[in-house]
Amino acid sequence: MAYSITVTQFTTISGISSGKAQEITDAINASLARFELDGSSKNIQYFIAQAASATQNFSCFSVQNSYPYPESLATIYPDTFFYRGLNRENRPVSIGQGQLDATVYVNDSEKVCNAVYANTEGNGDEASGDGWKYRPRGPLNLAYRSNYGTMSFNIYNDDRLVQDPDLVSDYTDAFNTLAWYWKTNSLSILAAAGHYNAITEKLCGKSNLDLRAAQVDRNRYLSIVVKTFFIK
């Protein structure tokens, strides 16, 4: 038996209505069906909850790394930036061991991405612009040129996602990338066993400093989804 989520259920979960709700619902159901993830209601619950958390309740499908305070940048990316100066409480601080002065990068998401994601996984240097071009997108937070290439080949057998990475911000490919990863990494098995936090670890990474916060947020969305989308 195949399950799907209705527009009414999606609207109850997300608070999103009108045509956008229909578009997102259709894209979710299509991805679940294409990658054969629709045979379990629990699998769908987990998939939707993870996607909701990763996209800020389906409102943000492309990372926004814009920070108004240099100390925040140096704290979050200490290997890339440094900050030596006064914090918001007007106290002197010394944060970060990176080579780049955080004050130059405040309120500029593109510059931050080009610096943070440079020279890694197929990306060029900061000046190449690859960090911004292949910034994290979609509920999987797909990032880096090589990962876009691998994903594109596995889903389409071509390099369309490398040539046009903004496709991953569109609903169809946003959910296709998550669904492909979900199937390839056997997350349905974890879902069947009720190991939701283990799925969060897989998606966010065990070494993620914010993993605990991610687990709290993703469990919050799961409780919302379960109340609305529950099939015995």
Side-chain angles (χ1 to χ4, degrees):
M1 179 178 180
Y3 298 95
S4 62
I5 184 170
T6 67
V7 175
T8 300
Q9 289 170 329
F10 177 80
T11 297
T12 301
I13 290 167
S14 65
I16 298 171
S17 58
S18 70
K20 185 177 179 182
Q22 184 71 63
E23 287 181 49
I24 297 175
T25 302
D26 288 346
I28 290 173
N29 286 330
S31 292
L32 291 170
R34 175 178 178 179
F35 293 95
E36 302 175 317
L37 305 177
D38 56 355
S40 161
S41 60
K42 181 180 286 187
N43 205 39
I44 295 177
Q45 288 172 347
Y46 283 14
F47 184 95
I48 293 172
Q50 291 284 346
S53 176
T55 59
Q56 299 175 34
N57 196 29
F58 305 102
S59 68
C60 182
F61 285 77
S62 178
V63 73
Q64 301 297 320
N65 277 347
S66 182
Y67 298 89
Y69 304 106
E71 61 265 35
S72 298
L73 262 178
T75 298
I76 295 171
Y77 302 109
D79 294 331
T80 302
F81 301 107
F82 72 87
Y83 176 64
R84 312 286 184 261
L86 301 178
N87 64 13
R88 280 168 281 177
E89 286 75 40
N90 208 35
R91 297 175 180 175
V93 294
S94 179
I95 307 171
Q97 305 83 43
Q99 301 297 311
L100 303 177
D101 182 354
T103 61
V104 180
Y105 292 80
V106 294
N107 294 316
D108 195 327
S109 184
E110 183 170 350
K111 285 187 68 174
V112 170
C113 286
N114 282 332
V116 170
Y117 303 118
N119 300 310
T120 306
E121 299 288 343
N123 280 4
D125 60 16
E126 183 179 354
S128 73
D130 282 351
W132 177 249
K133 184 175 183 179
Y134 300 109
R135 63 190 181 278
R137 292 181 176 89
L140 185 60
N141 283 313
L142 184 68
Y144 302 111
R145 182 188 180 98
S146 63
N147 291 334
Y148 274 77
T150 298
M151 185 66 71
S152 190
F153 178 81
N154 280 288
I155 294 178
Y156 296 113
N157 200 33
D158 60 33
D159 68 345
R160 71 184 67 183
L161 300 184
V162 175
Q163 297 301 320
D164 188 2
D166 283 329
L167 287 172
V168 184
S169 297
D170 294 337
Y171 301 140
T172 296
D173 284 314
F175 295 113
N176 276 344
T177 55
L178 178 59
W180 178 88
Y181 182 91
W182 198 283
K183 182 175 183 177
T184 302
N185 290 275
S186 303
L187 300 191
S188 295
I189 296 175
L190 293 176
H195 296 321
Y196 185 72
N197 284 339
I199 292 175
T200 300
E201 286 186 6
K202 284 279 191 180
L203 293 172
C204 297
K206 288 184 178 180
S207 61
N208 190 325
L209 296 177
D210 295 324
L211 178 58
R212 178 55 186 161
Q215 287 176 332
V216 170
D217 189 66
R218 294 189 181 214
N219 275 284
R220 178 174 67 85
Y221 276 104
L222 179 61
S223 67
I224 296 171
V225 172
V226 168
K227 290 176 183 177
T228 302
F229 185 77
F230 180 73
I231 302 173
K232 293 184 179 179

